[in-house]
C-alpha cells in the first residue's frame, strides 16, 4: 500500500481500490498457469499497478547465453495484465511493444513494474519497466481493451465498460 510523502495513509477509497485489485489478482493468479510455470511471483498489486518478479533459468537462455527476449516480454506482459485488470473489468492486450535495453543472464532476478498511464472508455495504456537491480533492462508499453465481464462477481471500479 502506498503512502504519501508525509507518511500518511492513503484515503479510504484508494485503500478499497487496492484491496479490490488484490482480490482480482488472486483470482487471476489461480488461473494463470503460464506465469506460474515461468516462476513469476507477484510482489505488489494495487489499482492500476503491479510488480512481478522472475529469475532467469537455464531453459530461458538462447544461443547467445542470454535470456531469450520472449521471456522478458512474458514477464512484462504478465505485469501489464495484472495492472490493467486491477479495476475488475476484464481487459486484454490490444497491442504491445518492448525495447530491450541490456542483456540479461542466467540467474538474474528481473522485476517488472507496471503502471497504468491512461484509461479512456474501453482503452488503456500501461507502461512496464523491467529491471535487474537498479538497472533498466527493458521498457514495455501495452495497450489494453476492456471486454465484457468482470473478474470477480462484484462491481468494477471506475467508469463503466460501455
Amino acid at each position: 500500500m502506498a503512502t504519501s510523502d508525509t507518511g500518511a495513509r492513503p484515503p479510504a477509497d484508494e485503500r478499497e481500490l487496492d484491496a479490490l485489485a488484490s482480490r482480482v489478482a488472486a483470482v487471476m493468479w489461480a488461473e494463470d498457469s503460464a506465469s506460474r510455470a515461468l516462476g513469476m511471483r507477484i510482489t505488489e498489486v494495487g489499482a492500476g499497478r503491479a510488480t512481478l518478479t522472475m529469475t532467469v533459468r537455464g531453459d530461458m537462455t538462447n544461443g547467445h547465453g542470454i535470456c531469450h527476449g520472449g521471456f522478458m516480454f512474458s514477464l512484462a506482459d504478465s505485469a501489464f495484465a495484472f495492472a490493467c485488470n486491477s479495476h475488475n473489468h476484464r481487459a486484454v492486450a490490444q497491442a504491445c511493444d518492448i525495447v530491450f535495453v541490456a542483456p540479461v543472464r542466467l540467474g538474474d532476478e528481473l522485476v517488472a513494474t507496471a503502471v497504468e498511464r491512461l484509461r479512456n472508455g474501453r482503452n488503456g495504456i500501461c507502461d512496464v519497466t523491467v529491471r535487474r537491480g537498479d538497472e533498466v533492462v527493458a521498457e514495455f508499453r501495452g495497450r489494453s481493451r476492456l471486454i465484457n465481464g468482470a473478474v470477480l462477481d462484484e462491481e468494477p471500479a471506475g467508469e463503466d465498460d460501455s
Side-chain angles (χ1 to χ4, degrees), residues 125-155:
I125 297 175
C126 186
D127 289 330
V128 183
T129 300
V130 181
R131 289 183 172 82
R132 171 186 48 220
D134 292 333
E135 180 186 12
V136 173
V137 296
E139 288 286 348
F140 171 106
R141 173 160 275 189
R143 281 147 313 275
S144 62
R145 181 80 173 166
L146 296 180
I147 59 174
N148 291 332
V151 177
L152 305 173
D153 292 333
E154 56 187 270
E155 285 299 311

Side-chain angles (χ1 to χ4, degrees), residues 10 12-13 16 28 32 39 42 56-57 61 69 73 78 85 99 114 116 122 134-135 143 149 152 154:
D13 58 334
E16 290 170 13
M28 289 177 58
D32 189 347
I42 300 173
V56 178
R57 304 182 312 225
T61 59
F73 185 98
S78 290
N85 279 277
V99 176
E116 192 174 55
R122 294 180 63 194
D134 292 333
E135 180 186 12
R143 281 147 313 275
L152 305 173
E154 56 187 270

Side-chain angles (χ1 to χ4, degrees), residues 54 56 59-63 65-73 100 104:
M54 179 182 78
V56 178
D59 61 349
M60 297 175 172
T61 59
N62 62 21
I66 59 176
C67 182
H68 188 290
F71 292 106
M72 293 171 64
F73 185 98
F100 301 109
V104 172

Side-chain angles (χ1 to χ4, degrees), residues 81-94:
F82 284 98
C84 67
N85 279 277
S86 65
H87 306 285
N88 197 28
H89 289 274
R90 287 197 183 272
V92 295
Q94 181 170 253

